[in-house]
Amino acid sequence: GGRGLRVQMCCSATPPVPLKDLPESVAYVYDSQTSSHFYLVGTQHYSEVSASDVRHVISAVRPGTVMLELCAGRYVNLFAPSHSASPHEDTDTSNVGGLAGALTRAHRLTDRVGISAGLDFSAALEEAGAMKARVVLGDVDASVTVERIARTSDSRSLLPALFSPKLFIQGGAEIARA
């Protein structure tokens, strides 16, 4: 079946670009207080299909602002020209344990086998740049996220789900299920 749930979280506004014309990974939200339309694209950061969905939505909607679920530190690691071709190569994880170390080592592994992180972000940056849309980095620092995950869950049960081979299936249609 489909890759996701179709959501239209409003009742008084019609999306300027109908959901039927957009990928299944898109949800729409209307804020009546600001008269703002939001198209949310659910992505998998390693997926060519997600990157294509992002391109399609930005091209069709032509937003003035594109928000990325990305913090400034991760943006620099992924896109700063001063970093190596593999943004995770320079990070020493020999003394980093737990979830943070595992995440960094997993990124290194995916880099080595030719799976590029941030395909969806790259697509968004390219499309936003082409139409001169403003780009907003809208995530807390990655270290805060890792710390929260470590505090609120059993990372030993979380790690197998995060790095299941099903997450890297071409197309990103599969989701690892516990």
Side-chain angles (χ1 to χ4, degrees):
R3 289 180 310 163
L5 176 65
R6 300 296 295 198
V7 178
Q8 183 170 328
M9 300 173 154
C10 71
C11 18
S12 60
T14 301
V17 177
L19 287 176
K20 69 176 183 56
D21 297 337
L22 298 173
E24 289 181 4
S25 59
V26 176
Y28 170 77
V29 179
Y30 178 73
D31 181 351
S32 60
Q33 291 182 326
T34 62
S35 299
S36 298
H37 304 271
F38 298 90
Y39 289 86
L40 308 172
V41 185
T43 66
Q44 187 178 74
H45 303 315
Y46 297 93
S47 168
E48 290 283 353
V49 170
S50 288
S52 177
D53 286 357
V54 166
R55 283 187 192 91
H56 180 112
V57 172
I58 293 173
S59 176
V61 174
R62 304 198 59 78
T65 302
V66 173
M67 194 278 292
L68 303 178
E69 180 208 7
L70 193 60
C71 68
R74 286 177 51 224
Y75 173 84
V76 168
N77 280 342
L78 287 170
F79 300 110
S82 65
H83 279 71
S84 64
S86 174
H88 308 287
E89 266 178 29
D90 299 332
T91 307
D92 178 15
T93 59
S94 59
N95 293 326
V96 179
L99 188 58
L103 289 171
T104 303
R105 288 185 288 277
H107 284 295
R108 281 188 184 165
L109 175 63
T110 57
D111 288 344
R112 286 187 186 134
V113 297
I115 299 172
S116 300
L119 294 175
D120 54 342
F121 300 136
S122 295
L125 289 168
E126 289 168 14
E127 287 298 317
M131 65 184 56
K132 304 204 182 331
R134 180 173 70 139
V135 174
V136 174
L137 302 179
D139 203 355
V140 298
D141 188 85
S143 63
V144 173
T145 301
V146 169
E147 184 180 309
R148 287 178 182 166
I149 291 170
R151 263 197 331 257
T152 60
S153 68
D154 177 4
S155 60
R156 289 172 298 182
S157 63
L158 181 62
L159 288 174
L162 284 174
F163 303 112
S164 165
K166 288 184 178 182
L167 289 175
F168 303 109
I169 292 174
Q170 177 67 27
E174 293 287 331
I175 295 175
R177 304 207 193 285

